[in-house]
Structure formats: C-alpha cells, structure tokens
Amino acid sequence: GSYFWLLDDAGEKLTLVASEGPAAEVVQGWSLAVGEGLAGRVGSTSEDLLMSDAEEIVALGERPDAGAGLEIREVAAVPVLLEEGKLLGVIEVINREGDDRLEDGDVSFLKLVAETAAISLGNVRRVEAERRATDLGSLLEAAQALGASLEVPKVSFTLVHKAASILHYRQAAVGLLRGGRFELAALSGKTFVDDRLPENKALKGLLDWASSLPQGIYVVQEEDGNIDTSKPETIDKFRA
C-alpha cells in the first residue's frame, strides 16, 4: 500500500490525504503530530526511512491499518520538501508486492516521486495565493468605487475587516494619501488608529513606501524569519 501525508499550514500536523492498497478505507482521515509515529518521525527529521523489522515498526505507534489486520512487514518513507528544505508532506509505502523486499533502490525512486510531488504542490499553492491576491484586488477596486460616494474612513474601516472573508491574515491596514500627506486610515481589529504608537508609525512608513512602488508587491516571510524576495530594499523594509 502507499500513503500520502500532507502537512497543515501551522506545520504541526500531518494528515493522510491519499491512500492506495488493502487498508485504504481504514486509514482515511488518519492524522499524526509531527514527530509522532512513522510518518511524523520522517516529517520531523526530513530524512528517508527504510524499516524491515515488524516489531520496530509497530513500536513507533498505533496504526489503524495494523489494527484492521494488515500485516506490516516493511515500510519505506520519504519527506516531500521544497527546494529550500521546507516540509510539505511525507510519502509512505508499505509491503512491496510479491516476495521481493523494499530496498535502497526503492527509496531512491520514492525520492524522485517526492521531488515531483513537491513541485506540483508548490505550483498549486502559488496559484492559490495568486487567486486570493486577485480576489483582494477586486475588493480594493470595489472600495475605490464606493469611496467616490461614501465616507472614505467608513469604506477603509469596512475594507480591512471584510477582506478577512477572502484572505486569512493576522493584520490588515489601509493607508490613504490626502493633500500630499500619507495617513494610516484603518487597521483591522481597531476602531481607532493612533498614529503615535511606535508599531503604527512603522506600519505607516511601510505602507507609504509601498504606495510609491510602480506595482503591488507580494512578500512571504518564512517561519525561520527569511523574507522570500530577491530585492534587498524590500528585505530591509520588512525587517525594519
């Protein structure tokens, strides 16, 4: 049998999202914390694993497939990683068909499959991010049209709160240029924006800088603190 585990956005849990083999129905919805069980161990170490000791495999944790009566003789598992080493998931194979045993050559093949899966998953997530960015752009255009007939502060306040239905975010803000002066007009979770607060001053400066760019920007800060962009100026601005 073969299983494909996917890491959640928080990087804490692996969920089995695809399975083939005699226990495919039994394992549906199976999830493990990173570090828990065989797949969780591979996820936490990002290292390949080949085991042919049935007792050692069972000792790694309870398994619904084994609980349903599947005899697990051997297991091979590899991490699915992006180029920079970020974990996306785990591929696990159980019991090679026939009398042959899983060996190092099979692990090498699984690693090639994992590389292909990583590219595909990376592309899917990139498309999803672009789709959400497009949706937010539509929302901004709608707000701009509303601003022509409604009070700008009210539109700004609505925008930073309504955008949550499209993008999941920790914070949203709107800045406006009025009479040649840039203002922080609205901040999600706040009914009033105090420009005197240090964090708001920093945010205002960032938005003011972004408003001077010829086009919008999309920047990702990884869990390790690295900022995913090739422009030094952008890195400096987001680290400030």
Side-chain angles (χ1 to χ4, degrees):
S2 58
Y3 303 154
F4 186 87
W5 301 82
L6 193 63
L7 185 69
D8 67 355
D9 291 339
E12 299 174 351
K13 184 174 69 174
L14 287 163
T15 300
L16 200 152
V17 296
S19 58
E20 293 289 341
E25 293 185 4
V26 176
V27 298
Q28 287 183 2
W30 185 12
S31 63
L32 295 167
V34 173
E36 178 188 3
L38 189 143
R41 175 176 167 181
V42 172
S44 65
T45 62
S46 293
E47 295 179 353
D48 312 329
L49 188 63
L50 177 60
M51 302 179 67
S52 56
D53 186 321
E55 293 185 359
E56 187 178 354
I57 295 171
V58 173
L60 286 175
E62 294 185 4
R63 302 178 58 102
D65 46 6
L70 178 65
E71 180 187 0
I72 301 177
R73 305 185 305 273
E74 55 186 356
V75 173
V78 299
V80 180
L81 304 169
L82 290 175
E83 289 184 2
E84 62 270 23
K86 182 179 179 180
L87 180 71
L88 292 178
V90 174
I91 295 177
E92 179 181 353
V93 173
I94 303 162
N95 300 344
R96 189 169 183 177
E97 292 184 355
D99 297 328
D100 293 334
R101 307 286 290 184
L102 290 168
E103 54 189 26
D104 291 340
D106 297 307
V107 174
S108 296
F109 174 73
L110 285 178
K111 290 173 70 174
L112 291 175
V113 174
E115 289 176 6
T116 303
I119 293 172
S120 299
L121 282 172
N123 288 338
V124 167
R125 292 187 175 187
R126 189 175 299 109
V127 169
E128 177 66 10
E130 290 174 354
R131 182 193 67 77
R132 288 182 175 182
T134 299
D135 288 345
L136 184 57
S138 299
L139 189 62
L140 289 168
E141 290 175 2
Q144 184 176 6
L146 286 171
S149 56
L150 299 177
E151 294 180 5
V152 173
K154 184 176 180 180
V155 172
S156 301
F157 180 86
T158 302
L159 177 59
V160 296
H161 291 85
K162 290 295 184 181
S165 63
I166 296 175
L167 290 173
H168 298 289
Y169 52 69
R170 186 177 64 184
Q171 186 181 67
V174 170
L176 295 174
L177 187 64
R178 292 181 175 179
R181 181 174 177 272
F182 192 87
E183 298 179 1
L184 188 60
L187 192 61
S188 59
K190 305 292 183 181
T191 56
F192 172 75
V193 178
D194 187 352
D195 281 337
R196 296 170 297 178
L197 295 177
E199 60 269 28
N200 289 347
K201 285 183 178 179
L203 180 58
K204 175 183 174 182
L206 181 63
L207 292 179
D208 192 5
W209 165 78
S211 69
S212 67
L213 299 177
Q215 58 185 13
I217 57 173
Y218 176 74
V219 180
V220 175
Q221 185 171 19
E222 304 292 351
E223 293 177 358
D224 59 4
N226 288 330
I227 297 174
D228 185 14
T229 179
S230 59
K231 298 180 178 180
E233 181 186 12
T234 301
I235 295 176
D236 292 338
K237 287 292 182 180
F238 277 85
R239 281 181 177 169

